[in-house]
Amino acid sequence: MALVTSGSGADQVIAEVAMNGGADPSATTVRATVVQASTIFHDTPATLDKAERLIAEAAGYGSQLVVFPEAFIGGYPRGSTFGFGISISIINPKDKGKEAFRRYHASAIDVPGPEVTRLAAMAAKYKVFLVMGVIEREGYTLYCSVLFFDPLGRYLGKHRKLMPTALERIIWGFGDGSTIPVYDTPLGKIGALICWENKMPLLRTALYGKGIEIYCAPTADSRPVWQASMTHIALEGGCFVLSANQFCRRKDYPPPPEYEFAGLGEEPSADTVVCPGGSVIISPSGEVLAGPNYEGEALITADLDLGEIVRAKFDFDVVGHYSRPEVLRLVVNDQPQLPVSFTSAAERTPAAKSDIDTKSY
């Protein structure tokens, strides 16, 4: 299907691989859209409004699955160093890096929370499966996460980025094996990895082991070489790969001195493209179905023939007939890694989630 250019919660988490009771076995085609658009930085309510407009437009084209880029809600802090993450003087309350982090923290969302409830309502209103990149706030730590929603308006769960890259480690926490879900939906088995963690072979294999069929790859990497990684994953996993990236100009971020771009020599002009996108949809045979687009904000849409998955697995099933478990095996620790736990029967939650000591006096 040709490129289409855009004009523009519940608290309960659903168990993995437990949703497919209503699937129509005769339905073999899924229409999917990857959104290539910019966050409205430091303005989460406006970004949610923009997300709804884009979801409505994609649904208008008949899309059943809509995938947004990495950190669409909350923003990807492109060009910011946050003062290199280290304050030279710990007694200086006006340290630029700390203030930049305070603003970024304020733009993040709680999961669950009101923004999650609104995203769930969007999925229900437009009757789509929704995969949304967000900056998740848990207390004072941020995580780069992907949230999953179904057309009934249910928040299904999340994936937290397991391994932030480079300076991302200054501002984002690390996920663990408890949030690597694959959901068995009427459209197929859907999961996601974020940006460069897609280059981690063992993490990909964990998704293959859960039977992923529609592999979502929200990213911030717009380099042409990213396309090679996406094609390889489609071939390796025998799955559809949907990679969504933002298209951003300098003017999509706050102006200096509130927000300054580093590493470009000099402050870019307002119309300078700071992320050209490259969103793409690739079939299990390695065929590019739509994209990559480097021209502007767009909705990139393709019809996924689910029969392609079976045809691809005939040649190569990485965790099936092409595996050698007596020689090579993967063991995944999928338990939450909590910094604090309590052994008493009355309190088994992490300290960050406990309200036992938050009484007013």
Side-chain angles (χ1 to χ4, degrees):
M1 186 172 183
L3 174 80
V4 180
T5 302
S6 168
S8 49
D11 294 358
Q12 181 184 9
V13 177
I14 307 302
E16 291 183 52
V17 193
M19 299 172 54
N20 211 13
D24 180 356
S26 66
T28 60
T29 302
V30 171
R31 181 161 293 179
T33 292
V34 294
V35 174
Q36 180 164 289
S38 175
T39 301
I40 302 174
F41 211 79
H42 286 170
D43 194 338
T44 296
T47 301
L48 286 165
D49 290 342
K50 182 175 183 177
E52 181 161 9
R53 292 194 300 271
L54 293 164
I55 293 168
E57 191 171 349
Y61 296 126
S63 292
Q64 300 157 277
L65 170 65
V66 183
V67 181
F68 277 77
E70 177 179 12
F72 185 79
I73 306 296
Y76 188 86
R78 196 174 303 280
S80 178
T81 65
F82 290 88
F84 300 99
I86 301 173
S87 173
I88 295 174
S89 172
I90 62 173
I91 63 173
N92 181 4
K94 295 182 179 179
D95 176 79
K96 286 186 176 181
K98 292 179 179 179
E99 177 58 20
F101 182 76
R102 185 199 64 77
R103 292 194 299 267
Y104 192 52
H105 182 273
S107 298
I109 67 172
D110 296 325
V111 180
E115 294 84 2
V116 175
T117 300
R118 183 174 176 193
L119 288 167
M122 293 179 199
K125 180 178 180 180
Y126 299 104
K127 297 179 173 57
V128 297
F129 281 89
L130 176 61
V131 179
M132 177 63 72
V134 308
I135 301 303
E136 176 192 357
R137 178 178 57 222
E138 184 172 341
Y140 300 102
T141 296
L142 303 180
Y143 298 91
C144 183
S145 299
V146 169
L147 309 184
F148 300 85
F149 303 87
D150 75 4
L152 299 179
R154 296 185 296 180
Y155 163 58
L156 306 180
K158 68 189 175 187
H159 166 61
R160 280 181 175 172
K161 195 171 190 177
L162 196 66
M163 190 66 207
T165 301
L167 286 174
E168 294 174 358
R169 298 172 199 171
I170 292 171
I171 53 170
W172 296 340
F174 292 63
D176 61 33
S178 69
T179 64
I180 313 175
V182 169
Y183 296 103
D184 191 1
T185 79
L187 306 185
K189 295 177 182 177
I190 301 173
L193 297 181
I194 306 169
C195 206
W196 276 22
E197 65 176 1
N198 285 286
K199 297 163 71 172
M200 300 172 69
L202 300 184
L203 186 53
R204 295 198 306 269
T205 303
L207 292 189
Y208 302 152
K210 292 185 174 187
I212 192 165
E213 297 170 328
I214 301 176
Y215 184 122
C216 303
T219 188
D221 192 340
S222 59
R223 300 172 304 158
V225 72
W226 180 253
Q227 303 302 318
S229 290
M230 296 298 96
T231 300
H232 172 76
I233 291 169
L235 290 168
E236 178 182 67
C239 53
F240 290 95
V241 172
L242 284 63
S243 183
N245 195 3
Q246 298 194 30
F247 182 93
C248 306
R249 299 183 186 273
R250 174 62 184 91
K251 62 186 178 184
D252 294 315
Y253 289 81
E258 179 184 352
Y259 194 101
E260 296 178 349
F261 269 72
L264 297 179
E266 60 183 27
E267 175 68 23
S269 66
D271 288 326
T272 298
V273 175
V274 295
C275 180
S279 302
V280 70
I281 300 175
I282 301 175
S283 80
S285 66
E287 179 186 359
V288 175
L289 301 178
N293 176 278
Y294 297 100
E295 302 303 320
E297 293 200 344
L299 299 181
I300 297 160
T301 301
D303 289 333
L304 315 183
D305 174 8
L306 301 184
E308 279 294 307
I309 297 170
V310 180
R311 290 189 282 271
K313 299 286 191 181
F314 174 73
D315 291 329
F316 186 82
D317 185 355
V318 68
V319 291
H321 63 77
Y322 220 91
S323 65
R324 289 291 304 278
E326 78 280 15
V327 179
L328 301 168
R329 298 178 63 208
L330 172 65
V331 177
V332 180
N333 181 356
D334 60 0
Q335 297 302 304
Q337 303 301 300
L338 306 177
V340 180
S341 59
F342 299 89
T343 59
S344 68
E347 183 55 73
R348 296 183 181 275
T349 59
K353 292 293 189 182
S354 175
D355 61 359
I356 195 168
D357 293 321
T358 58
K359 299 176 183 176
S360 299
Y361 294 95

